[in-house]
Amino acid sequence: MKVLAIIPARGGSKGVPRKNVQLLGGIPLIVHAINCAKASSKVTKIIISTDSEEIATIAKENNYEVIMRPDELASDTSNVVHTVEHVYKTLNEDFDIIVLLQPTSPLRTGKDLDSIITMFERNTKLDGIISVVPFDDLHPARMYNLGTNNELVSFIENGESSRRQDLNPVYYRNGCFYAVTSQSFFAEKSFMVKNKEAYIMNPEWLINIDTPRDFKIASIIYEEWKNENFNY
């Protein structure tokens, strides 16, 4: 299979200025994403899509190809689907699988990525794979909607009094991997294709960096994660 790994990295960010070049464990977030793709034995091509000359310079220093995206694809409201379409059109090359590696979910490995691609190789009818973590402590049965007078309305009927061990397990998208066949991506214009499976990851390493608080949490758990998982 030909596999295209795309790393989308805008220069702007409201939550954390210059987020994608901020250091985690002494390494810029964008480089964590590059290292994950580089550590995979099954990725054919790695592309960094950015509007930032600073990010482009870092990527090129690590000997990876950059495609500069136009301003209309680099706003806070831009859809990543359009970014991927732009990359694919610019390359003018066919791939079997497209993998999206968002820099904001850095705690992942090349071994994870190889396992995901292997899932496609073993099931040729599969259209997509999304990485998730089990979410026991924040189960929807413990969540509520608010009524007109702030009354609590259980999100899951008859679920609030159930024991945790009696609840059906739920899973949360952790942002590490979005993988899809090129055919289904262009047919459905989405990474959330209908025919998809889960790649289940360790919830101990759940982190998605959008705020300064997220960065502080990531910095705390990064060293422990690295000691257990570092493979590049």
Side-chain angles (χ1 to χ4, degrees):
M1 284 186 169
K2 290 184 63 177
V3 179
L4 172 64
I6 298 177
I7 301 171
R10 293 190 305 116
S13 173
K14 289 183 178 179
V16 180
R18 299 173 58 248
K19 176 171 59 180
N20 288 316
V21 298
Q22 295 296 324
L23 302 182
L24 178 64
I27 301 172
L29 280 186
I30 181 67
V31 177
H32 281 287
I34 291 171
N35 285 343
C36 175
K38 181 172 65 174
S40 168
S41 64
K42 294 179 179 291
V43 168
T44 308
K45 184 182 286 288
I46 302 169
I47 296 292
I48 292 82
S49 170
T50 187
D51 62 317
S52 164
E53 292 293 343
E54 181 180 24
I55 291 173
T57 297
I58 292 173
K60 290 173 182 177
E61 286 174 349
N62 285 269
N63 299 315
Y64 287 96
E65 187 175 349
V66 175
I67 291 180
M68 301 301 294
R69 71 174 81 169
D71 290 342
E72 61 267 24
L73 297 181
S75 71
D76 289 332
T77 59
S78 297
N79 190 326
V80 72
V81 168
H82 299 150
T83 295
V84 172
E85 289 176 329
H86 176 257
V87 168
Y88 213 91
K89 181 179 180 181
T90 302
L91 290 174
N92 193 28
E93 183 178 352
D94 290 331
F95 294 88
D96 300 297
I97 304 293
I98 302 171
V99 180
L100 192 70
L101 298 175
Q102 299 180 122
T104 47
S105 297
L107 304 189
R108 60 196 161 199
T109 68
K111 182 178 179 180
D112 288 316
L113 184 47
D114 281 347
S115 295
I116 286 172
I117 297 168
T118 297
M119 291 171 68
F120 283 107
E121 292 172 340
R122 291 175 176 172
N123 183 0
T124 57
K125 294 183 179 179
L126 187 60
D127 291 332
I129 296 171
I130 307 295
S131 62
V132 298
V133 294
F135 226 32
D136 295 333
D137 293 336
L138 293 175
H139 197 284
R142 305 294 185 253
M143 299 179 183
Y144 298 86
N145 290 313
L146 291 183
T148 54
N149 295 311
N150 264 17
E151 68 269 22
L152 290 173
V153 180
S154 183
F155 191 76
I156 295 181
E157 188 176 358
N158 301 322
E160 62 180 345
S161 59
S162 299
R163 299 183 307 165
R164 184 174 68 173
Q165 57 267 39
D166 294 332
L167 294 169
N168 291 327
V170 295
Y171 296 85
Y172 176 78
R173 293 201 320 253
N174 66 352
C176 286
F177 298 99
Y178 294 86
V180 67
T181 65
S182 300
Q183 183 177 3
S184 59
F185 173 81
F186 286 105
E188 300 185 37
K189 303 293 184 181
S190 175
F191 279 94
M192 305 306 297
V193 293
K194 294 178 181 178
N195 178 29
K196 56 184 176 290
E197 290 186 3
Y199 178 71
I200 301 173
M201 299 180 69
N202 189 340
E204 291 294 323
W205 314 124
L206 173 62
I207 187 69
N208 199 311
I209 300 174
D210 287 316
T211 68
R213 179 178 182 273
D214 296 333
F215 235 118
K216 290 178 182 178
I217 295 172
S219 298
I220 291 171
I221 66 175
Y222 172 74
E223 291 301 324
E224 183 178 352
W225 172 86
K226 182 179 72 171
N227 290 337
E228 184 169 321
N229 297 279
F230 196 78
N231 71 335
Y232 52 77

